[in-house]
Amino acid sequence: MSPERPVQSARLGRLFGLVLLAALAVGASAQDAAHRMVLTLDAEGPTINRHLFGHFAEHLGRGIYGGFWTEGADGWELNAPVVEAMRALDPPNVRWPGGCFADVYHWRDGVGPARERPTIVNTLWGGVTEDNGVGTHEFVALAEALGAEPIVVGNVGSGTVREMADWWQYVNHPGPSPMADLRAENGHPEPWGVRFWGVGNESWGCGGNMSPEHYADLYKRYATFLHGYGDVRPFRIATGPDATINRDVPEWTEAVMRDAGRMIDGLDMHFYTIVGDWDDRTRATEFGEDRWVGAFARALEMDGHIRRVSAIMDRYDPQGRVWLIVGEWGMWHAPEEGSTPGFLYQQNALRDALVASVTLDVFARHAERVKMANIAQTINVLQAMLLVDGERVVKTPTYHVFDFYKAHQDAERLPFTLDAGTYAFGGQSVPAVSATASRDETGHVHVTLTNLDPHRARTVSAEMRGGRLSRVSGRVLTASEMTAHNTFEDPDVVVPAPFGGVRLDGQTLTVTLPPMSVVALDLQ
């Protein structure tokens, strides 16, 4: 017997076990909690913008070098298995080069022959020396390979207006012009047409420790010189508030919208889910039920931050022209033992996946204002989609949630009411069930449901009004342990399985959600 056969058998056995777990949940009604849902199929709703499911690739740890790119005989080259895995998620965008790194990055160091580029010491993240082998050309090539739109964040903290204006011209001017000619000399005569442009990052902190009034004035100055070229008009993204530690959220938003709102296309708020105090963080797979429920309680604070920021934006932008962007979000744990602390390498458990699902539900609820978001980060950093070691690639539980939710990209949000119930432990409580419903351009209805209760199945009985559907299929993501996660040695511990706990009877959809699970349904 070949050495692969036992491994394959184990994976098939585990998959069968997950299917059985989901099926058995249907028969567990004696201990189930019941939830009523009313889903309106013929109502018009806002579009769930595809850019809400965006990604983030900063020069940090092994996200760029040793992540998206691997070292080959002739320098850095795209890591083919990584690109293949990410393409399957239909990523709408990828944000680069930071993060905090953006405000120390000088773009001219990253163009021209790779062997002639100067090095840079990444003092922000681990103190490592980078060779600038990945620069503008390489990043846009990555975005093209992923089928994603590039988001470039320019340097306000240590850069100049001219530097940013030249970079914008370099990527977008059709030529002839000084920067377009330089781009052609470097091997790319045609402009790339990059429209999303961040004017600084976290300017209240690592991007310069500025006051909101000072930043608003700087923003207007920098944004003035991002001129339209050809068919490309800049979508200018301003630094929004720091909601992670609730740093002057109303004050920052008020000042920036008041003083610069007419020149802003997107306002970028950041919020990380940190369980406990900063110095009290644990690793991603080391927690009990108190930190299970605590993670969801913290993640759901996103809703309140969005409401507060949106209310201020509504006063200065009642037409809703300016996008509220959540440019960095996700779980921030203590780094894995033995890893470089500044590399922010952490595992990714079932808990992370459910945090992602309820956060994406929050974004969908606010789809009228929230139009873009970027989970931090894509490879080997924080709440990653993939863990990568050379050509070995592990899909994290969060990856699978993004695979479930890609059905909502650019779909019409459908209104529903839901008796979410309550899951409580140790004095903390959260809604037990979370959901998003949408209709895509083909008429398919997609419903994602999350059960945060680690002990009880939850049965949702959904009355569907305003239409008739005749078929339903589904997938489920769950595991037998809260700390379940995937590793290089055992990559299929938390993987999707076919879902049998659903029944469609006329206008009633009955779904029995296993404990601690995410279910994705496709109805026709």
Side-chain angles (χ1 to χ4, degrees):
M1 181 181 291
S2 69
E4 290 83 5
R5 289 292 295 277
V7 175
Q8 292 169 354
S9 297
R11 291 175 181 171
L12 288 173
R14 184 179 295 113
L15 181 60
F16 175 78
L18 288 172
V19 176
L20 182 62
L21 178 66
L24 288 175
V26 180
S29 57
Q31 298 181 9
D32 287 356
H35 304 266
R36 186 170 185 268
M37 183 178 188
V38 177
L39 175 61
T40 306
L41 301 177
D42 60 350
E44 294 185 0
T47 296
I48 301 174
N49 197 306
R50 64 191 176 95
H51 286 294
L52 286 172
F53 307 90
H55 300 275
F56 179 27
E58 183 173 6
H59 286 245
L60 198 170
R62 293 186 296 111
I64 298 293
Y65 302 102
F68 270 121
W69 282 269
T70 185
E71 196 164 13
D74 298 321
W76 295 101
E77 55 191 37
L78 281 175
N79 194 334
V82 170
V83 172
E84 180 182 7
M86 286 303 300
R87 277 187 65 88
L89 294 182
D90 295 336
N93 64 60
V94 60
R95 179 175 182 256
W96 173 88
C100 293
F101 186 82
D103 282 297
V104 300
Y105 182 68
H106 300 283
W107 69 270
R108 285 177 179 267
D109 294 341
V111 299
R115 288 186 172 84
E116 298 177 11
R117 298 178 189 177
T119 60
I120 181 174
V121 178
N122 193 334
T123 55
L124 293 161
W125 304 118
V128 294
T129 300
E130 299 180 7
D131 64 6
N132 271 311
V134 174
T136 302
H137 290 252
E138 291 78 16
F139 166 65
V140 180
L142 167 67
E144 291 173 347
L146 295 176
E149 283 200 70
I151 303 172
V152 172
V153 183
N155 183 345
V156 171
S158 68
T160 66
V161 174
R162 178 175 179 176
E163 181 181 21
M164 187 181 292
D166 281 352
W167 197 6
W168 170 259
Q169 184 186 123
Y170 186 88
V171 298
N172 288 323
H173 198 287
S177 78
M179 295 300 104
D181 294 346
L182 178 60
R183 183 189 66 235
E185 290 175 19
N186 290 330
H188 205 281
E190 298 301 317
W192 286 295
V194 176
R195 60 176 177 141
F196 291 120
W197 203 269
V199 182
N201 169 80
E202 295 191 355
S203 302
W204 35 257
C206 64
N209 286 297
M210 304 177 194
S211 69
E213 292 81 8
H214 179 65
Y215 171 72
D217 283 344
L218 273 182
Y219 172 87
K220 289 185 290 186
R221 185 179 174 211
Y222 277 73
T224 296
F225 297 96
L226 299 177
H227 301 293
Y229 294 130
D231 295 332
V232 179
R233 294 294 181 271
F235 188 97
R236 300 162 298 186
I237 300 172
T239 292
D242 170 22
T244 302
I245 59 173
N246 205 18
R247 184 191 320 217
D248 301 329
V249 171
E251 293 82 356
W252 184 278
T253 307
E254 182 86 30
V256 172
M257 286 299 298
R258 180 192 65 225
D259 295 347
R262 64 183 178 81
M263 297 180 67
I264 293 172
D265 300 301
L267 186 70
D268 180 14
M269 178 180 80
H270 292 178
F271 176 74
Y272 284 96
T273 297
I274 299 170
V275 185
D277 296 329
W278 178 259
D279 294 331
D280 189 36
R281 290 169 302 140
T282 60
R283 298 187 180 96
T285 58
E286 299 175 355
F287 61 90
E289 191 169 350
D290 59 333
R291 290 184 181 243
W292 169 270
V293 66
F296 304 125
R298 174 68 166 157
L300 290 170
E301 291 177 14
M302 179 77 80
D303 185 84
H305 291 307
I306 288 174
R307 290 180 187 277
R308 284 196 297 161
V309 172
S310 295
I312 297 170
M313 295 177 73
D314 288 347
R315 293 207 306 272
Y316 295 99
D317 175 38
Q319 292 77 32
R321 178 188 63 84
V322 181
W323 291 10
L324 176 53
I325 296 170
V326 185
E328 295 183 24
W329 69 273
M331 296 204 74
W332 195 319
H333 304 296
E336 289 299 298
E337 186 174 3
S339 65
T340 303
F343 283 8
L344 306 187
Y345 179 78
Q346 62 188 42
Q347 250 296 348
N348 192 300
L350 180 65
R351 178 180 62 165
D352 298 85
L354 270 60
V355 162
S357 67
V358 299
T359 301
L360 293 172
D361 291 342
V362 170
F363 294 157
R365 285 202 294 273
H366 295 281
E368 294 89 344
R369 177 66 81 175
V370 183
K371 303 288 189 179
M372 177 184 281
N374 305 85
I375 190 169
Q377 294 187 7
T378 314
I379 312 293
N380 286 336
V381 177
L382 296 176
Q383 191 171 348
M385 299 292 110
L386 304 172
L387 303 180
V388 177
D389 182 14
E391 293 188 352
R392 296 194 299 168
V393 176
V394 172
K395 296 175 180 177
T396 68
T398 300
Y399 175 97
H400 297 303
V401 164
F402 269 70
D403 188 42
F404 281 11
Y405 275 72
K406 70 183 181 184
H408 295 306
Q409 289 190 23
D410 277 347
E412 184 181 21
R413 190 188 70 196
L414 294 177
F416 63 85
T417 60
L418 172 64
D419 168 20
T422 301
Y423 158 57
F425 179 84
Q428 298 186 88
S429 64
V430 294
V433 179
S434 181
T436 292
S438 69
R439 179 177 52 241
D440 67 23
E441 60 182 7
T442 69
H444 284 224
V445 171
H446 302 279
V447 180
T448 43
L449 292 156
T450 303
N451 178 10
L452 300 182
D453 191 329
H455 304 298
R456 292 198 297 171
R458 300 275 180 161
T459 296
V460 176
S461 179
E463 176 190 351
M464 295 183 293
R465 298 175 178 174
R468 182 171 293 276
L469 300 168
S470 59
R471 289 188 294 173
V472 61
S473 61
R475 293 184 292 164
V476 60
L477 186 73
T478 187
S480 58
E481 302 289 339
M482 288 186 289
T483 58
H485 59 283
N486 300 329
T487 66
F488 293 109
E489 294 73 28
D490 203 352
D492 298 320
V493 175
V494 187
V495 293
F499 181 60
V502 58
R503 184 175 70 256
L504 181 59
D505 184 9
Q507 297 299 98
T508 302
L509 178 74
T510 304
V511 189
T512 300
L513 306 171
M516 51 186 181
S517 66
V518 185
V519 168
L521 301 175
D522 182 346
L523 296 105
Q524 302 175 48

